[in-house]
């Protein structure tokens, strides 16, 4: 099963993911965690180019193609082989990030992006996508205060991030059977419990406490 976590900056995906994976393993599942862009040696090299503050000359088309190149490698090298085994893949960001950030955020036509995504992934779609939803300003402030990675990609205006959030909500509304929305503006443990409840339902487990 292929599960993706999506959400705006500072929504807490990356800190919730390891705990969620641990809990799934305790339930007896085989779990592989990964993140985008990244997850293979080649994809991590592409991530470094994308995140490099010195790359101010990078054009929007270049950026899109680099995200897609990183994803194509991850899908073929890691995801497809793992999905043939009985493994749950938990991925921090995937194709919906491209639709939300490059599409809704930067205004690249969604149908163009969807064609490119289809080529890059060979049509691999998540079985479940969890949206970490929260007010954009709260997320950006969390990011700044945590002292985490604050790179070139974070430097866009607030309005951009607001379009990204709206985009996510629109994508979720389009495909409600694939998306589940979790309120990310809650204490860490409550968000974790909500996530476990979503997964328990999807995997037909008894409710977690
Ligand atoms: P990262 O530091 O991993 O941020 P986060 O912890 O919020 O996931 O950086 C990933 C950045 O790349 C983030 O700003 C979202 C952006 N991004 C895109 O714009 N398009 C994409 O397709 C992907 C995968 C990420």
């Amino acid at each position: 099963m292929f599960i993706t976590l999506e959400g705006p900056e500072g929504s807490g995906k990356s800190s919730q993911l390891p705990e969620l994976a641990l809990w799934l393993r305790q339930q007896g599942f085989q779990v592989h965690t990964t993140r985008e862009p990244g997850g293979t040696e080649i994809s991590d090299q592409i991530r470094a180019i994308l995140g490099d503050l010195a790359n101010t000359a990078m054009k929007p088309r270049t950026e899109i193609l680099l995200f897609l190149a990183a994803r194509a490698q991850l899908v073929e090298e890691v995801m497809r082989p793992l999905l043939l085994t009985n493994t749950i893949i938990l991925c921090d960001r995937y194709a919906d990030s491209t639709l939300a950030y490059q599409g809704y955020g930067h205004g690249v036509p969604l149908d163009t992006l969807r064609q490119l995504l289809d080529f890059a992934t060979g049509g691999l779609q998540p079985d479940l996508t969890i949206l970490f939803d929260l007010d954009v300003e709260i997320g950006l402030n969390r990011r700044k205060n945590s002292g985490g990675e604050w790179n070139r990609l974070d430097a866009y205006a607030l309005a951009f991030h607001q379009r990204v959030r709206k985009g996510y909500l629109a994508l979720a509304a389009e495909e409600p059977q694939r998306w589940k929305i979790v309120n990310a503006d809650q204490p860490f443990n409550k968000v974790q419990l909500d996530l476990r409840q979503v997964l328990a339902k999807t995997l037909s487990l008894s409710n977690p406490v």
Side-chain angles (χ1 to χ4, degrees):
M1 175 169 293
F2 178 25
I3 299 170
T4 57
L5 308 186
E6 294 283 355
E9 315 297 308
S11 57
K13 295 176 283 85
S14 314
S15 20
Q16 294 285 351
L17 187 141
E19 285 226 15
L20 200 56
L22 189 68
W23 174 73
L24 280 172
R25 290 186 184 112
Q26 284 164 356
Q27 309 305 305
F29 293 100
Q30 209 164 296
V31 182
H32 179 80
T33 63
T34 186
R35 68 163 178 187
E36 274 228 76
T40 74
E41 236 171 78
I42 292 171
S43 312
D44 281 334
Q45 289 177 41
I46 297 172
R47 180 187 180 91
I49 298 172
L50 282 162
D52 188 342
L53 280 165
N55 284 337
T56 49
M58 191 181 293
K59 302 297 182 199
R61 281 186 169 87
T62 313
E63 185 181 275
I64 291 169
L65 292 171
L66 286 175
F67 278 122
L68 295 181
R71 185 165 305 140
Q73 188 67 30
L74 178 66
V75 166
E76 279 212 48
E77 188 182 321
V78 175
M79 290 181 168
R80 287 205 186 272
L82 275 179
L83 288 170
L84 294 176
T85 68
N86 216 1
T87 302
I88 296 178
I89 298 177
L90 274 185
C91 189
D92 187 347
R93 297 195 182 282
Y94 186 63
D96 297 301
S97 280
T98 308
L99 295 172
Y101 282 78
Q102 280 65 49
Y104 287 93
H106 289 303
V108 179
L110 292 182
D111 52 350
T112 305
L113 289 177
R114 286 195 160 112
Q115 280 180 16
L116 292 168
L117 284 168
D118 197 49
F119 173 74
T121 64
L124 181 68
Q125 289 264 28
D127 300 294
L128 170 71
T129 299
I130 302 178
L131 174 58
F132 286 59
D133 186 48
L134 92 167
D135 180 86
V136 164
E137 282 185 74
I138 296 175
L140 289 174
N141 279 331
R142 275 191 190 171
R143 252 291 166 101
K144 280 181 195 153
N145 297 336
S146 75
E149 259 183 293
W150 182 256
N151 56 25
R152 191 178 61 82
L153 295 163
D154 292 310
Y156 296 114
L158 183 64
F160 169 81
H161 291 287
Q162 272 156 350
R163 289 197 299 278
V164 170
R165 183 191 185 193
K166 277 198 180 154
Y168 272 130
L169 291 168
L171 291 169
E174 244 174 61
E175 265 184 281
Q177 70 291 355
R178 171 163 70 92
W179 290 79
K180 295 288 170 268
I181 301 176
V182 163
N183 175 9
D185 185 16
Q186 305 185 91
F188 184 91
N189 290 341
K190 176 67 172 74
V191 175
Q192 180 65 212
L193 184 63
D194 287 359
L195 292 169
R196 290 179 190 183
Q197 262 157 0
V198 167
L199 288 188
K201 207 167 174 200
T202 304
L203 299 165
S204 308
L205 307 173
S206 53
N207 246 8
V209 270

